[in-house]
Amino acid sequence: TGGEKVWPDAVEAVIASHAAVGEVAVIGRPDPHWGEAVTAVVVPVDPRQPPTLAELRALVRETMPAYAAPKALELIEQLPRGGLGKVSRAALRGDDERR
């Protein structure tokens, strides 16, 4: 994002510590200004009380550089997984996994 390297696993670990986050995956989404925008895809513990983008950004910024904080939040019911149970970042990005 903006030429800085963001490691999704590290950001996910911080976001996962938020009490309202059940599961999280961090991906990059195309952004005309930053190249890619850090996006947190979250399955909330309680869909009626999901975490906010502001809460997650503040949490990440406590321990990581500001550029690692998510610029967007997407709330979903379930993270897509591959055959071995690993989260499919390609499916989250909309990539064709058969390539």
Side-chain angles (χ1 to χ4, degrees):
T1 178
E4 301 290 346
K5 183 69 176 171
V6 176
W7 298 101
D9 293 341
V11 179
E12 288 170 357
V14 174
I15 292 173
S17 72
H18 190 288
V21 174
E23 292 187 284
V24 60
V26 172
I27 59 172
R29 291 268 189 230
D31 183 272
H33 180 72
W34 296 104
E36 283 195 340
V38 177
T39 302
V41 182
V42 170
V43 177
V45 171
D46 182 349
R48 296 168 296 168
Q49 296 181 336
T52 66
L53 178 58
E55 290 170 344
L56 299 182
R57 286 181 54 78
L59 183 62
V60 171
R61 292 174 86 170
E62 288 176 9
T63 58
M64 302 185 78
Y67 62 79
K71 293 184 177 36
L73 170 62
E74 297 175 11
L75 300 171
I76 62 175
E77 293 181 10
Q78 178 179 331
L79 292 175
R81 298 189 182 277
L84 298 175
K86 185 175 177 181
V87 173
S88 174
R89 292 184 202 282
L92 286 171
R93 289 189 307 265
D95 298 346
D96 183 357
E97 292 184 16
R98 294 170 284 165
R99 285 190 235 178

